[in-house]
Amino acid sequence: MDNANTLNILALDGGGTRGIYSAQLLAKVEEIYNVRIRECFDLIAGTSTGAIIAGAAVAEIPMEEIVQLFESEAPDIFRKKWYRNPLFFSKYSNTKLAEIIAHHIPATPLSEISTPLMITCSEITTSELHIFRSNYTEKVNDMNYSDGDICLRDAIVASCAAPTFFAPKNIKNHLLSDGGLWANNPSIAAYTEALTSFGKNPSQIKILSIGTGHSISMYRKKRGWGFLSGWGGIKLVSFVMTLQSQASANLINRLLKENYLRIDPKINFWDIDTVKQSDNLKSLAERDFKTNSTAIDAFIRQPRNL
């Protein structure tokens, strides 16, 4: 493979507070290579909590700060309110989520972001996918670019609006919800972008895909399978998004084979709105970085200062 023509992609899954895992693993990359993540990839794609990490990466915010963000701010984002009846309202407040994102992520228009960035959302009015992009489309093809004045913060909040957890966000008359409904693992979206916008051949595409853990004990055999008694109500959202991640990883692995590296630990069922498993997630990230360090090295654009 001609390395000069290779497009190195980082694809970051959604998964709520389990994004601590992804941020910690990337913090190890920054530590070992003494670089920022944006220097290591030609395109970064993120969904939901992965959109937070992707946005921080293109803003050159150290990944260690994002680990701390999850640990310190998540309890406020996911603080239950007695008056928010989940039968009638979203479980958590969009206002608090937006405030915390604004505290950590700069108010940069997407047109001013130099690193190619994709943030996935779902347009729930028209039942269509929606992708926010930085301005790379103007440079690499003739696609009509209309996202330039969208603020990075707003795109991230929209991507994080998981059904029942947060209310959708309205941007330019688009009613947007979590991209995890169709691209919790944004690898296929990024692969398609590489083929179309960047004009790459499959052999020129390499994707490092980082998950947030997939449960090996999501469901067990029960007597009843009602919405609450069997499927678990809000638990169903987590299951659907996890299943989407697994399906995407399986499909893209068949397409790219050795050019696709998926790092996603097996876990028990851990809620996506708590930091109770923070230490476990960080330990898993440390373990998986050590196990995959040689492979990771082959999937990043070698930093200039090495």
Side-chain angles (χ1 to χ4, degrees), residues 124-143:
I124 63 173
T125 301
T126 57
S127 302
E128 295 179 340
L129 59 86
H130 191 95
I131 300 174
F132 288 110
R133 298 172 172 89
S134 57
N135 68 358
Y136 65 89
T137 55
E138 290 183 313
K139 301 175 182 178
V140 299
N141 67 15
D142 296 326
M143 178 185 288

Side-chain angles (χ1 to χ4, degrees), residues 110-127:
L110 293 179
S111 63
E112 296 180 12
I113 296 173
S114 59
T115 304
L117 169 71
M118 298 173 63
I119 291 177
T120 66
C121 297
S122 302
E123 218 297 356
I124 63 173
T125 301
T126 57
S127 302

Side-chain angles (χ1 to χ4, degrees), residues 88-107:
F88 303 101
F89 300 97
S90 57
K91 192 175 182 181
Y92 303 110
S93 168
N94 289 58
T95 301
K96 177 57 67 174
L97 171 65
E99 286 176 355
I100 290 175
I101 295 298
H103 183 68
H104 293 274
I105 303 292

Side-chain angles (χ1 to χ4, degrees), residues 11 25 43 81 88 130-131 171 177 202 210 214 223 231 241 291:
L25 194 148
L43 172 64
K81 305 294 185 180
F88 303 101
H130 191 95
I131 300 174
I171 300 178
S177 190
I210 302 178
H214 63 276
R223 176 171 295 182
W231 290 103
M241 292 182 177
T291 302

Side-chain angles (χ1 to χ4, degrees), residues 12 16 22 28 47 50 106 115 143 164 172 176 179 190 199 224 239 269 299:
L12 299 166
S22 310
K28 290 298 297 181
T47 295
T115 304
M143 178 185 288
T164 72
K172 285 189 173 182
L176 301 173
F239 169 69
F269 177 69
F299 275 78

